[in-house]
Amino acid sequence: MWRDNGNGSLGFGRHKGEPMMVENILCGRADHWQETVTDLPLTTVRTDRADRFLATCRTDHQPACTVSGRGG
């Protein structure tokens, strides 16, 4: 994933030479998608200046994901 450090926009891959912009990333269990789907919180990725991030998601009772920055 690519990040613009100026405005925090996120992009992925290339389409006609430009990254495709990312608005959200969804996580959930494949066997119970509708009941467990949740957004990966991207605020940390957009604002933190770390060069790597760790995402942790759990879908046991209440689906939840956290993101923390590493490096920088």
Side-chain angles (χ1 to χ4, degrees), residues 6-65:
N7 64 19
S9 60
L10 302 172
F12 180 76
R14 295 272 180 215
H15 177 70
K16 296 183 181 179
E18 297 294 324
M20 295 182 69
M21 303 316 289
V22 174
E23 292 185 28
N24 62 357
I25 298 174
L26 302 176
C27 297
R29 287 179 42 187
D31 60 340
H32 292 290
W33 181 257
Q34 191 169 4
E35 298 87 4
T36 61
V37 67
T38 189
D39 281 334
L40 185 69
L42 296 176
T43 303
T44 301
V45 179
R46 294 182 195 281
T47 59
D48 195 317
R49 295 296 181 235
D51 57 0
R52 285 184 266 168
F53 295 88
L54 175 65
T56 305
C57 297
R58 64 174 191 69
T59 59
D60 47 359
H61 298 288
Q62 182 65 30
C65 294

